[in-house]
Amino acid sequence: MTRPPVHVSLACWPGLRHDQAARHLASDVVEPLFGRLCTDHVQIVPQNFGVLTEAMVDGLMAAFPKVRLRLHANVRVLPKHHLADLAGYPTHREWFRQAARISQRLAAPAYTAHAGARRDATMAEMLEHTRRCADLFGCVVGVEGQYPAAGDAWLVSTWPEYRQLFESGVPYAIDLSHLHILACHSGVHDDALVRDMLACERCIEVHVSANDGRGDWHQVCERPPWWWPLLQHINPKAVVFSEGNHRRKRTP
């Protein structure tokens, strides 16, 4: 059974500055389930502190010239923090413009972001925002689906909405830890839909980490979860990122 390589996300070191987290790329990063993680592609994420400036980007690219860096979600690119999800695209134009400049400076092949809150957009509006965001960034932009939360707060947090995303024609990222929460909450494992979404050429990223089904804890994967056999179906052009927290001490 062939599975794709798993790459490093800087989410592996939450709470550090972007440049501090990136220093870990100089040494081997190993996980129990996936072995040695790859650094051909690396995510820059909002779990790291500080403003990601153009000067910092230049420094990261100089330090790691063989690594293809890309942004994920609402990385802090302005002094003021923005929770800039795709549903809120019109509200956070300044953030998206600066994020696009940073992404283009990285020569990033893709950008992915959370679908966002229902209060900010309908599914159709959010999908249209994603298309507009791709025009701004000048690269492929994908929607990351979410999971059930209090008050039915998030878009793309039910199995029917995941199918709607799949059938929309818009690129997307699949976070399998989010789908684990959805499966535990709904009592349904829609393996067929997950397999089809993973195999589709519009699946540009796959995110992996572990949780107990109650929250997005970003734990390192220790044992094969229910979605483990589905990894063999991943579109070969999609990049798989581990978002497991390597700063949290694991149980022996």
Side-chain angles (χ1 to χ4, degrees):
M1 185 180 294
T2 302
R3 297 185 182 88
V6 177
H7 292 74
V8 172
S9 167
L10 295 188
C12 292
W13 303 282
L16 301 181
R17 290 175 14 141
H18 303 290
D19 52 346
Q20 291 173 329
R23 290 173 192 163
H24 290 277
L25 301 178
S27 57
D28 285 349
V29 184
V30 179
E31 293 192 356
L33 191 60
F34 302 115
R36 182 177 179 271
L37 303 186
C38 298
T39 55
D40 293 344
H41 297 271
V42 170
Q43 280 184 332
I44 302 175
V45 298
Q47 289 94 326
N48 299 123
F49 286 170
V51 179
L52 183 68
T53 64
E54 294 181 22
M56 186 177 292
V57 163
D58 292 344
L60 291 174
M61 294 177 70
F64 304 101
K66 295 182 179 180
V67 175
R68 296 295 305 276
L69 294 160
R70 64 176 73 183
L71 301 181
H72 171 57
N74 52 318
V75 176
R76 189 169 181 178
V77 296
L78 294 172
K80 182 181 177 181
H81 176 67
H82 289 250
L83 187 60
D85 293 326
L86 291 166
Y89 180 80
T91 305
H92 300 285
R93 293 183 187 278
E94 181 185 7
W95 183 92
F96 278 101
R97 283 194 291 266
Q98 180 60 15
R101 284 191 284 269
I102 293 291
S103 180
Q104 290 162 7
R105 199 174 188 95
L106 290 167
Y111 167 66
T112 53
H114 303 123
R118 295 189 191 283
R119 66 174 181 270
D120 294 329
T122 65
M123 277 284 293
E125 288 168 341
M126 181 274 295
L127 293 169
E128 180 57 29
H129 296 169
T130 305
R131 298 182 184 99
R132 291 165 57 192
C133 187
D135 291 339
L136 176 65
F137 274 62
C139 68
V140 179
V141 172
V143 179
E144 182 181 24
Q146 299 174 271
Y147 50 87
D152 193 25
W154 305 119
L155 291 167
V156 194
S157 61
T158 67
W159 290 117
E161 286 181 336
Y162 270 93
R163 181 166 293 282
Q164 188 177 348
L165 172 60
F166 178 47
E167 295 175 350
S168 71
V170 169
Y172 52 82
I174 293 291
D175 189 317
L176 291 166
S177 67
H178 291 181
L179 291 184
H180 179 59
I181 300 170
L182 172 56
C184 291
H185 186 272
S186 66
V188 174
H189 292 73
D190 195 338
D191 287 23
L193 175 60
V194 178
R195 181 185 63 241
D196 290 347
M197 292 189 76
L198 291 173
C200 179
E201 70 279 358
R202 286 180 288 103
C203 178
I204 62 172
E205 288 181 7
V206 179
H207 303 166
V208 294
S209 63
N211 61 61
D212 64 0
R214 295 181 294 176
D216 192 20
W217 310 133
H218 281 228
Q219 296 166 333
V220 171
C221 292
E222 302 271 358
R223 293 172 294 278
W226 62 268
W227 45 256
W228 174 252
L230 301 177
L231 296 184
Q232 64 180 312
H233 300 290
I234 292 176
N235 156 32
K237 293 185 178 180
V239 181
V240 184
F241 289 107
S242 171
E243 297 182 326
N245 185 348
H246 282 243
R247 300 190 72 198
R248 182 184 294 129
K249 186 176 180 180
R250 298 200 296 271
T251 302

